[in-house]
Amino acid sequence: MKNLVILRLSLFFACMSCLCTSCEPEEDFGFPSKINISGEGESIDIKGSNDLPPVIRQIELLDYNGDGNNSGLLTEDKDYIETTTDWLTVKYFIAEYKLVLTATPNETNKKRNLYLYLLSGKSRQEITVIQSK
């Protein structure tokens, strides 16, 4: 009986895990999946290409470990969402359907990567941001 209860609980949690991982399906919101930035630092404007833009309400920047959850949320008093890390600032302008990425010069002598997530309801787009040496 004890084994049966453990088995049922295990199956329940396995099913819940599968359901939760499908809560944020990857979508193409009209932005590139990879953005390369110069090592000298620069500002890049990227206009979305979808005819019907998604309602993006949140953006996040994470490193390869999923750390550094720098999240920007849509607020009523702004027409953009902003988030920043030690070397990259991202603004999403809602009315213009445009991302602006601003990077500081890379003085680490190493390539730097971050993952930018655009979130709209239960969907998201992942964008890899790479800054050269």
Side-chain angles (χ1 to χ4, degrees):
M1 181 67 171
K2 182 179 177 183
N3 289 340
L4 184 60
V5 170
I6 291 172
L7 178 62
R8 284 185 180 171
L9 285 174
S10 297
L11 286 173
F12 173 77
F13 286 116
C15 289
M16 291 306 292
S17 175
C18 289
L19 288 174
C20 289
T21 57
S22 65
C23 291
E24 291 182 350
E26 288 291 325
E27 285 196 26
D28 180 0
F29 290 168
F31 294 100
S33 61
K34 184 168 138 183
I35 299 171
N36 292 304
I37 297 178
S38 162
E40 284 107 34
E42 63 183 319
S43 185
I44 299 174
D45 291 11
I46 301 171
K47 184 99 167 112
S49 63
N50 287 1
D51 292 335
L52 184 60
V55 180
I56 296 171
R57 299 191 179 278
Q58 184 176 359
I59 59 176
E60 293 180 344
L61 281 171
L62 302 173
D63 67 12
Y64 62 93
N65 287 328
D67 296 326
N69 185 358
N70 299 294
S71 182
L73 294 170
L74 177 63
T75 58
E76 291 181 26
D77 60 336
K78 291 185 180 178
D79 61 348
Y80 65 91
I81 305 169
E82 179 178 17
T83 187
T84 190
T85 66
D86 57 336
W87 65 272
L88 182 67
T89 298
V90 178
K91 288 185 180 180
Y92 172 70
F93 290 88
I94 298 150
E96 299 172 54
Y97 187 37
K98 176 176 78 171
L99 284 171
V100 176
L101 289 81
T102 306
T104 62
N106 185 352
E107 298 172 353
T108 66
N109 288 327
K110 295 179 181 179
K111 179 175 70 170
R112 300 196 275 200
N113 292 345
L114 286 174
Y115 299 94
L116 171 62
Y117 291 94
L118 309 176
L119 298 121
S120 173
K122 293 184 179 182
S123 300
R124 70 178 183 171
Q125 180 179 355
E126 177 183 281
I127 301 171
T128 304
V129 180
I130 302 169
Q131 186 179 33
S132 58
K133 296 180 189 182

Coordinates of all heavy atoms in Angstrom, one line a residue, residues 31-78:
F31 N 11.6 39.0 -33.4 CA 12.9 39.5 -33.2 C 13.9 38.4 -33.5 O 13.5 37.2 -33.4 CB 13.1 40.0 -31.7 CG 12.3 41.2 -31.4 CD1 11.0 41.0 -30.7 CD2 12.7 42.4 -31.7 CE1 10.3 42.1 -30.4 CE2 11.9 43.6 -31.4 CZ 10.7 43.4 -30.8
P32 N 15.2 38.7 -33.8 CA 16.1 37.6 -34.1 C 16.4 36.8 -32.8 O 16.3 37.3 -31.7 CB 17.4 38.4 -34.5 CG 17.2 39.8 -34.0 CD 15.8 40.0 -33.9
S33 N 16.8 35.5 -33.0 CA 17.1 34.7 -31.9 C 18.5 34.9 -31.4 O 18.8 34.4 -30.3 CB 16.9 33.2 -32.3 OG 17.7 32.9 -33.3
K34 N 19.3 35.6 -32.1 CA 20.7 35.9 -31.7 C 21.1 37.3 -32.1 O 20.8 37.7 -33.2 CB 21.6 34.9 -32.3 CG 23.1 34.9 -31.9 CD 23.8 33.7 -32.4 CE 25.1 34.0 -32.9 NZ 25.8 32.8 -33.5
I35 N 21.7 38.0 -31.2 CA 22.1 39.4 -31.4 C 23.6 39.5 -31.1 O 24.0 39.1 -30.0 CB 21.3 40.4 -30.6 CG1 19.9 40.3 -31.0 CG2 21.9 41.8 -30.8 CD1 18.9 41.1 -30.1
N36 N 24.5 39.9 -32.0 CA 25.9 40.1 -31.8 C 26.2 41.6 -31.6 O 25.7 42.4 -32.3 CB 26.7 39.6 -33.0 CG 26.6 38.1 -33.1 OD1 26.9 37.4 -32.2 ND2 26.1 37.6 -34.3
I37 N 27.0 41.8 -30.5 CA 27.3 43.2 -30.2 C 28.8 43.4 -30.2 O 29.6 42.5 -29.8 CB 26.8 43.6 -28.7 CG1 25.3 43.5 -28.8 CG2 27.3 44.9 -28.3 CD1 24.6 43.7 -27.4
S38 N 29.3 44.5 -30.7 CA 30.7 44.8 -30.8 C 31.4 44.8 -29.4 O 30.8 45.3 -28.4 CB 30.9 46.1 -31.5 OG 32.2 46.7 -31.3
G39 N 32.6 44.4 -29.3 CA 33.4 44.5 -28.1 C 33.7 45.9 -27.6 O 34.0 46.2 -26.5
E40 N 33.6 46.9 -28.6 CA 33.8 48.3 -28.2 C 32.6 48.9 -27.5 O 32.7 50.0 -26.9 CB 34.1 49.1 -29.4 CG 35.5 48.9 -30.0 CD 35.5 48.1 -31.3 OE1 34.5 48.2 -32.0 OE2 36.4 47.3 -31.5
G41 N 31.5 48.1 -27.4 CA 30.3 48.7 -26.9 C 29.5 49.5 -27.9 O 30.1 50.1 -28.8
E42 N 28.2 49.4 -27.9 CA 27.4 50.1 -28.8 C 25.9 50.0 -28.4 O 25.6 49.3 -27.5 CB 27.6 49.5 -30.2 CG 27.1 48.1 -30.4 CD 27.3 47.5 -31.7 OE1 27.1 48.2 -32.7 OE2 27.8 46.3 -31.8
S43 N 25.1 50.8 -29.1 CA 23.7 50.8 -29.0 C 23.1 50.3 -30.3 O 23.4 50.8 -31.3 CB 23.2 52.1 -28.6 OG 21.8 52.1 -28.3
I44 N 22.2 49.3 -30.2 CA 21.5 48.7 -31.3 C 20.0 48.8 -31.2 O 19.5 48.5 -30.2 CB 21.9 47.2 -31.4 CG1 23.4 47.0 -31.6 CG2 21.2 46.5 -32.6 CD1 23.9 45.6 -31.6
D45 N 19.4 49.3 -32.3 CA 17.9 49.3 -32.3 C 17.4 48.2 -33.2 O 17.9 48.0 -34.3 CB 17.4 50.6 -32.9 CG 17.7 51.8 -32.1 OD1 18.4 51.7 -31.1 OD2 17.1 52.9 -32.4
I46 N 16.5 47.4 -32.7 CA 15.9 46.3 -33.5 C 14.4 46.3 -33.5 O 13.8 46.2 -32.4 CB 16.4 44.9 -32.9 CG1 17.9 44.8 -32.9 CG2 15.8 43.8 -33.7 CD1 18.4 43.6 -32.2
K47 N 13.9 46.6 -34.7 CA 12.4 46.6 -34.8 C 11.8 45.2 -35.0 O 12.4 44.5 -35.8 CB 12.1 47.5 -36.0 CG 10.6 47.8 -36.2 CD 10.3 49.2 -35.7 CE 8.9 49.6 -36.2 NZ 7.9 49.6 -35.2
G48 N 10.8 44.9 -34.3 CA 10.1 43.6 -34.5 C 9.5 43.5 -35.9 O 9.1 44.5 -36.5
S49 N 9.4 42.3 -36.4 CA 9.0 42.1 -37.8 C 7.6 41.5 -38.0 O 7.1 41.4 -39.1 CB 10.0 41.2 -38.6 OG 10.0 39.9 -38.0
N50 N 6.9 41.2 -36.9 CA 5.6 40.6 -37.0 C 4.6 41.7 -37.3 O 4.6 42.8 -36.8 CB 5.2 39.9 -35.7 CG 5.9 38.6 -35.4 OD1 6.7 38.2 -36.2 ND2 5.6 38.0 -34.3
D51 N 3.6 41.3 -38.2 CA 2.5 42.3 -38.5 C 1.6 42.6 -37.4 O 1.1 43.7 -37.2 CB 1.7 41.7 -39.7 CG 2.5 41.6 -41.0 OD1 3.4 42.4 -41.1 OD2 2.1 40.8 -41.8
L52 N 1.4 41.6 -36.5 CA 0.6 41.7 -35.3 C 1.5 41.5 -34.1 O 1.7 40.4 -33.7 CB -0.6 40.8 -35.3 CG -1.6 40.9 -34.2 CD1 -2.2 42.3 -34.2 CD2 -2.7 39.8 -34.3
P53 N 2.1 42.6 -33.5 CA 3.0 42.4 -32.4 C 2.3 41.8 -31.2 O 1.2 42.1 -30.9 CB 3.4 43.9 -32.1 CG 3.0 44.7 -33.2 CD 1.9 44.0 -33.9
P54 N 3.1 41.0 -30.5 CA 2.6 40.4 -29.2 C 2.5 41.5 -28.1 O 3.2 42.5 -28.2 CB 3.6 39.3 -28.9 CG 4.9 39.8 -29.5 CD 4.5 40.5 -30.7
V55 N 1.8 41.2 -27.1 CA 1.7 42.2 -26.0 C 2.8 41.7 -25.0 O 2.5 40.9 -24.1 CB 0.3 42.2 -25.3 CG1 0.3 43.1 -24.1 CG2 -0.7 42.5 -26.3
I56 N 4.0 42.3 -25.1 CA 5.1 41.9 -24.2 C 4.9 42.7 -23.0 O 4.8 44.0 -23.0 CB 6.4 42.2 -24.9 CG1 6.6 41.3 -26.1 CG2 7.6 42.0 -23.9 CD1 7.7 41.6 -27.0
R57 N 4.9 42.0 -21.8 CA 4.7 42.7 -20.5 C 5.9 42.6 -19.6 O 5.9 43.2 -18.6 CB 3.4 42.1 -19.8 CG 2.2 42.2 -20.6 CD 1.0 41.9 -19.8 NE -0.3 42.1 -20.5 CZ -0.9 43.2 -20.7 NH1 -0.4 44.3 -20.1 NH2 -2.0 43.3 -21.4
Q58 N 6.9 41.8 -20.0 CA 8.0 41.6 -19.1 C 9.2 41.2 -20.0 O 9.1 40.5 -21.0 CB 7.7 40.5 -18.1 CG 8.8 40.3 -17.1 CD 8.4 39.3 -16.1 OE1 7.4 38.7 -16.1 NE2 9.3 39.0 -15.1
I59 N 10.4 41.7 -19.6 CA 11.7 41.2 -20.2 C 12.6 40.8 -19.1 O 12.5 41.4 -18.0 CB 12.3 42.3 -21.1 CG1 12.6 43.6 -20.3 CG2 11.4 42.6 -22.3 CD1 13.3 44.6 -21.1
E60 N 13.4 39.8 -19.3 CA 14.4 39.3 -18.3 C 15.8 39.1 -19.0 O 15.8 38.7 -20.2 CB 14.0 38.0 -17.7 CG 12.7 38.1 -16.9 CD 12.3 36.7 -16.3 OE1 12.8 35.7 -16.8 OE2 11.5 36.7 -15.4
L61 N 16.8 39.4 -18.2 CA 18.2 39.1 -18.7 C 18.8 38.0 -17.7 O 18.8 38.2 -16.5 CB 19.1 40.3 -18.6 CG 18.9 41.3 -19.8 CD1 19.7 42.6 -19.5 CD2 19.4 40.7 -21.1
L62 N 19.2 36.9 -18.2 CA 19.8 35.8 -17.4 C 21.2 35.5 -18.0 O 21.4 35.5 -19.2 CB 18.9 34.6 -17.4 CG 17.5 34.8 -16.9 CD1 16.7 33.6 -17.1 CD2 17.5 35.2 -15.4
D63 N 22.1 35.0 -17.2 CA 23.3 34.4 -17.7 C 23.2 32.9 -18.0 O 22.1 32.4 -17.9 CB 24.5 34.7 -16.8 CG 24.4 33.9 -15.4 OD1 23.5 33.0 -15.3 OD2 25.2 34.3 -14.5
Y64 N 24.2 32.3 -18.4 CA 24.1 30.9 -18.8 C 23.7 29.9 -17.7 O 23.2 28.9 -17.9 CB 25.4 30.4 -19.4 CG 26.6 30.4 -18.5 CD1 27.0 29.3 -17.7 CD2 27.4 31.6 -18.4 CE1 28.0 29.3 -16.9 CE2 28.5 31.6 -17.5 CZ 28.8 30.5 -16.8 OH 29.8 30.5 -15.9
N65 N 23.9 30.4 -16.4 CA 23.4 29.5 -15.3 C 22.0 29.9 -14.9 O 21.5 29.3 -13.9 CB 24.3 29.8 -14.1 CG 25.7 29.1 -14.2 OD1 25.8 28.1 -14.9 ND2 26.7 29.8 -13.7
G66 N 21.4 30.8 -15.6 CA 20.0 31.2 -15.2 C 20.1 32.2 -14.0 O 19.0 32.6 -13.4
D67 N 21.3 32.8 -13.7 CA 21.4 33.7 -12.6 C 21.2 35.1 -13.2 O 21.3 35.4 -14.3 CB 22.8 33.6 -12.0 CG 23.0 32.3 -11.3 OD1 22.0 31.7 -10.8 OD2 24.1 31.8 -11.3
G68 N 21.1 36.1 -12.2 CA 21.0 37.5 -12.6 C 19.7 37.8 -13.1 O 19.6 38.6 -14.1
N69 N 18.6 37.3 -12.5 CA 17.3 37.6 -13.0 C 17.0 39.1 -12.8 O 16.4 39.5 -11.9 CB 16.3 36.7 -12.2 CG 14.9 36.9 -12.7 OD1 14.6 37.6 -13.7 ND2 14.0 36.2 -12.2
N70 N 17.4 39.8 -13.9 CA 17.1 41.2 -13.9 C 15.8 41.4 -14.7 O 15.9 41.3 -16.0 CB 18.3 42.0 -14.5 CG 19.5 41.8 -13.7 OD1 19.6 42.2 -12.6 ND2 20.5 41.1 -14.2
S71 N 14.8 41.6 -14.1 CA 13.5 41.6 -14.7 C 12.9 43.0 -14.8 O 13.0 43.8 -13.9 CB 12.5 40.7 -14.0 OG 11.3 40.7 -14.6
G72 N 12.4 43.4 -16.0 CA 11.6 44.6 -16.1 C 10.2 44.3 -16.4 O 9.9 43.5 -17.2
L73 N 9.3 45.0 -15.7 CA 7.9 44.8 -15.9 C 7.2 46.1 -16.5 O 7.7 47.2 -16.3 CB 7.2 44.6 -14.5 CG 7.6 43.3 -13.9 CD1 7.1 43.3 -12.4 CD2 7.1 42.1 -14.6
L74 N 6.1 45.8 -17.2 CA 5.3 46.9 -17.8 C 4.7 47.7 -16.7 O 4.1 47.1 -15.8 CB 4.3 46.3 -18.7 CG 3.3 47.3 -19.4 CD1 4.1 48.3 -20.3 CD2 2.3 46.5 -20.2
T75 N 4.8 49.0 -16.6 CA 4.1 49.8 -15.7 C 3.3 50.8 -16.4 O 3.5 51.2 -17.6 CB 5.1 50.5 -14.7 OG1 6.0 51.3 -15.5 CG2 5.9 49.5 -13.9
E76 N 2.3 51.3 -15.8 CA 1.3 52.2 -16.4 C 1.9 53.6 -16.8 O 1.5 54.2 -17.7 CB 0.1 52.5 -15.5 CG -0.8 51.3 -15.3 CD -2.0 51.5 -14.5 OE1 -2.4 52.7 -14.3 OE2 -2.4 50.6 -13.9
D77 N 2.9 54.0 -16.1 CA 3.5 55.4 -16.3 C 4.6 55.4 -17.3 O 5.1 56.5 -17.6 CB 3.9 56.0 -15.0 CG 5.0 55.2 -14.3 OD1 5.1 54.0 -14.6 OD2 5.8 55.8 -13.5
K78 N 4.9 54.3 -17.9 CA 6.0 54.3 -18.9 C 5.5 53.7 -20.2 O 4.7 52.9 -20.3 CB 7.2 53.5 -18.4 CG 7.9 54.1 -17.2 CD 9.2 53.3 -16.9 CE 9.9 53.9 -15.7 NZ 11.0 53.0 -15.4

